[in-house]
Amino acid sequence: MTALTYRGQTYAPHHTAVQKQSVELTYRREHYNARRMQAARDLHPQLAYRGVFYTR
């Protein structure tokens, strides 16, 4: 265990490290592409008034 020394004082960590279960991340192409398309639409929303579309 390492100790920290600062201006002559020795400090020890107040907590111990917690071992967590690792999580494997997955890539789902359809979900990723759907989110990308949604984000692109949110950048340039289209407004419709009486059948006429306006781009903001």
Side-chain angles (χ1 to χ4, degrees):
M1 182 176 271
T2 42
L4 175 66
T5 304
Y6 178 71
R7 293 189 179 189
Q9 299 286 336
T10 303
Y11 298 93
H14 296 286
H15 56 83
T16 58
V18 177
Q19 294 294 329
K20 289 188 177 182
Q21 194 84 341
S22 62
V23 176
E24 182 178 342
L25 301 177
T26 59
Y27 169 76
R28 290 184 240 156
R29 180 176 51 209
E30 295 83 17
H31 180 74
Y32 175 75
N33 288 337
R35 294 294 181 175
R36 275 187 48 215
M37 289 170 46
Q38 179 67 34
R41 280 193 301 265
D42 290 346
L43 287 176
H44 305 288
Q46 276 193 342
L47 307 174
Y49 179 71
R50 293 188 178 178
V52 179
F53 289 95
Y54 301 91
T55 304
R56 182 175 179 209

